[in-house]
Amino acid sequence: MIVEEFDFKLPKGLIDVNGEVHTQGKMKLLTAKDEMIVQDLSRRNPDNDLVFLLLVQAIAKLGTLNKVTAQQLEQLFLPDFLYLQNLFGSLQPQNVTTSGEL
């Protein structure tokens, strides 16, 4: 059986607009469909950094948030952002670009 989602805990936590701190989350393995969504979002929003778009697709849940946005991730404390980048890098296939090239 393939594990598709992985639990994580942010060092500091995402503080939402209501002041609630979200630390527990789940990150999923990306699919080909996720890749197409990221490519589409990247074309429509060229100002959004690709890292944020990939993380938005990969984070399946964060606290009580069932979906996070790039704007929410931009508000993360640096240790949390680096943690998520490292986790993403350890879970997703290595040496594959977003265009599928090795």
Side-chain angles (χ1 to χ4, degrees):
M1 184 163 110
I2 296 175
V3 178
E4 296 178 34
E5 288 189 347
F6 300 85
D7 294 330
F8 67 83
K9 182 177 181 184
L10 295 176
K12 302 286 184 195
L14 173 71
I15 302 172
D16 68 20
V17 295
N18 299 319
E20 185 178 350
V21 180
H22 305 273
T23 57
Q24 303 285 337
K26 291 186 178 289
M27 185 174 285
K28 67 176 188 157
L29 296 176
L30 293 184
T31 64
K33 181 179 179 181
D34 292 317
E35 170 65 21
M36 291 186 309
I37 291 169
V38 168
Q39 287 179 3
D40 183 54
L41 289 172
S42 180
R43 279 192 292 277
R44 287 191 285 134
N45 303 301
D47 293 339
N48 282 345
D49 191 300
L50 185 59
V51 173
F52 288 101
L53 297 176
L54 287 167
L55 287 174
V56 163
Q57 285 304 118
I59 297 172
K61 185 173 177 72
L62 183 56
T64 59
L65 306 172
N66 289 322
K67 192 70 179 160
V68 296
T69 66
Q71 293 75 23
Q72 288 171 315
L73 294 180
E74 289 171 354
Q75 302 306 310
L76 284 171
F77 294 106
L78 187 56
D80 292 330
F81 181 67
L82 295 174
Y83 173 84
L84 287 173
Q85 281 186 298
N86 289 334
L87 180 61
F88 180 87
S90 70
L91 296 179
Q92 306 305 327
Q94 300 298 309
N95 301 320
V96 178
T97 67
T98 56
S99 63
E101 299 170 350
L102 293 176

